[in-house]
Amino acid sequence: MTRHDAARGLILGIESSCDETAAAVVAEGRRTLASVVASQTATHAHWGGVVPELASREHLRNIAPIVHAALRQAEVGFGDLDAIAVTNGPGLAGALLVGISYAKALAFALGKPLIAVNHLEGHIHAVLLEQKLKQQSAAPLPMPALALVVSGGHTHLFLAEPPGDQPDAALWRYTLLGRTLDDAAGEAFDKVAKLLGLGYPGGPWIDRLAPFGDPRAVPFPLTRVKSKPHLAGKTPRTKGAVTSPVAALDPRFLFSFSGLKTAVLRHVETTGLRSSALAREAALQAIVATGRRPGVDEVRALCDQPTLDLIASFQASVVDNLLDRAFAAAESADPRSLLVTGGVAANSELRLRFREEASRRGLSVAFPSLALSTDNAAMIAAAAWPRFAAGRFAALDLEADPRLTLA
Ligand code: KG4
Ligand code: ZN
């Protein structure tokens, strides 16, 4: 018996919303037969951030080989698939278009249904997929859940409720409770890392270096977002461009990271850390130019103690803010569990402190595995499963929606 004989509801997931080209095959939204990710980090590292035109070009180059690799890994053929799921937003327009065009062509040629998946719903389903894998050993996560999606483009709080028994409630329901007014948390990590001469993406470097600094060395106060009646009907400015009016949201659940970023910049300038950051940037670029990735000890050796202290203090402050808003929302919405997901959910201090606080409050908390925290297509195929089961298919004229909202 081949692996697919035992599987029903085989969904091919395709993800290309930012700088990862990914394909995965997931059976019935719970068994991952294959998950392949081609990261473009090396391409964008040179520019210190994602360059949209380069991202589209890389997706075009990678999409077909990545899909074929996923099918090979899953030991299935195109004919075995039951549906093709693809991220249709939010994200970079040109990048999304590559995945969508490929998925539409496949669905048309194979005569299989096409399913459109919101990238943020994908991140939430990364945790649920992880939970299904663990179900033999652990009790299922109690619902409804408060979901904190925290990545390079998003910092959002949703109340997530599973499908009900009624036909009109066949899909998950999401209510937006909070979001960032400006930068996403991952964007703040990346910008601060860039300012300090560390590589791109900066989040993983800050995570690895923070344990060598004193998190209390530079006091960054909690950001307080005041009521924003003047924002009624307006949409906040963020890189992720997920736009929802914020006036209706409780200001206690709103995030803001641009002030923290400016405070770090001011600290760098007033304490004379700029020249050491430039020297570090040049030294790291010289290592990367030899085709080698620098190790953490090597990068640490290039950082003076005040820089390590700043890194630790910055990370602690981001986590302070995330904790403050997430648990304020938890107190108000009274969910039965908390999910933390997205690239920044890979952060060690964040995981530790969310676990501690949740256990203090008697709330279950769950994260995806590290591989499922950052962008991948298994989460897209998993999120597509309830839509497949409910027959909610997309038309073949599906378009990219860079500003797609979840709620
Ligand atoms: O979810 P993701 O792969 O892409 C988006 O949807 O944005 O998230 C990428 C973001 C980047 O900003 C990256 O710096 C951040 O996640 N990140 C981290 C860590 N690993 C990735 N931030 C903090 N600590 C980490 N360990
Ligand atoms: Zn993402």
Side-chain angles (χ1 to χ4, degrees):
M1 186 168 71
T2 63
R3 283 169 75 177
H4 72 263
D5 287 335
R8 287 171 42 243
L10 274 195
I11 298 184
L12 170 70
I14 295 177
E15 154 64 37
S16 69
S17 66
C18 190
D19 60 345
E20 257 105 26
T21 320
V25 180
V26 177
E28 292 184 322
R30 57 171 57 240
R31 275 195 314 124
T32 305
L33 303 188
S35 180
V36 183
V37 180
S39 169
Q40 304 177 1
T41 302
T43 305
H44 302 291
H46 179 70
W47 306 98
V50 178
V51 183
E53 291 76 11
L54 296 182
S56 307
R57 202 190 301 163
E58 288 271 303
H59 284 309
L60 272 175
R61 214 192 325 261
N62 290 333
I63 188 89
I66 288 297
V67 167
H68 282 96
L71 293 179
R72 251 194 328 273
Q73 196 181 88
E75 296 176 22
V76 299
F78 280 118
D80 299 317
L81 298 172
D82 293 300
I84 318 293
V86 65
T87 307
N88 68 320
L92 301 169
L96 286 163
L97 199 59
V98 177
I100 292 176
S101 308
Y102 193 86
K104 286 201 296 198
L106 261 189
F108 179 70
L110 299 172
K112 311 269 178 180
L114 178 71
I115 301 173
V117 176
N118 183 308
H119 184 77
L120 299 179
E121 184 170 26
H123 274 301
I124 292 172
H125 279 260
V127 187
L128 303 170
L129 179 61
E130 186 81 27
Q131 291 296 308
K132 285 174 189 155
L133 290 176
K134 287 187 193 152
Q135 224 156 57
Q136 269 92 353
S137 58
L141 213 53
M143 291 290 153
L146 177 69
L148 171 62
V149 183
V150 66
S151 71
H154 325 103
T155 302
H156 284 65
L157 277 165
F158 297 102
L159 187 70
E161 295 168 274
D165 298 330
Q166 306 303 319
D168 62 346
L171 303 181
W172 282 74
R173 286 197 310 161
Y174 304 97
T175 311
L176 180 72
L177 298 181
R179 51 159 303 151
T180 180
L181 290 174
D182 40 59
D183 292 353
E187 198 179 348
F189 267 101
D190 294 337
K191 286 180 178 167
V192 165
K194 187 174 179 193
L195 177 71
L196 296 177
L198 302 168
Y200 175 85
W205 281 116
I206 290 186
D207 190 359
R208 278 176 231 148
L209 295 168
F212 302 107
D214 175 1
R216 287 171 307 275
V218 189
F220 292 118
L222 266 186
T223 311
R224 286 278 166 228
V225 178
K226 297 200 185 75
S227 178
K228 299 269 174 193
H230 63 287
L231 287 177
K234 292 231 175 85
T235 53
R237 164 188 60 84
T238 68
K239 191 181 84 175
V242 181
T243 53
S244 324
V246 293
L249 302 174
D250 188 326
R252 289 175 303 149
F253 315 150
L254 296 177
F255 304 88
S256 168
F257 292 103
S258 73
L260 174 61
K261 190 184 63 188
T262 310
V264 171
L265 175 64
R266 205 175 309 119
H267 183 84
V268 165
E269 274 162 7
T270 54
T271 55
L273 294 179
R274 190 83 192 113
S275 56
S276 78
L278 290 172
R280 183 162 43 252
E281 188 175 16
L284 289 173
Q285 273 175 1
I287 295 173
V288 172
T290 66
R292 202 163 59 72
R293 274 178 63 83
V296 67
D297 291 337
E298 221 167 347
V299 182
R300 183 191 164 192
L302 291 168
C303 296
D304 42 53
Q305 196 55 45
T307 297
L308 292 169
D309 289 344
L310 176 60
I311 287 171
S313 303
F314 163 74
Q315 179 173 281
S317 174
V318 174
V319 177
D320 286 345
N321 279 286
L322 293 173
L323 272 173
D324 179 76
R325 303 312 122 82
F327 284 97
E331 236 165 63
S332 152
D334 199 23
R336 299 198 49 220
S337 60
L338 173 60
L339 316 182
V340 189
T341 186
V344 180
N347 187 269
S348 339
E349 179 175 349
L350 176 147
R351 287 185 178 228
L352 185 75
R353 292 186 50 205
F354 267 84
R355 279 208 176 94
E356 283 173 358
E357 189 60 29
S359 107
R360 216 182 340 266
R361 293 168 183 251
L363 193 63
S364 318
V365 61
F367 305 89
S369 64
L370 291 186
L372 286 179
S373 293
T374 47
D375 288 350
N376 65 87
M379 69 186 195
I380 302 303
W385 173 246
R387 283 177 197 281
F388 179 78
R392 304 285 180 93
F393 303 133
L396 283 179
D397 61 358
L398 177 70
E399 285 180 9
D401 187 349
R403 303 165 80 85
L404 185 65
T405 55
L406 183 56

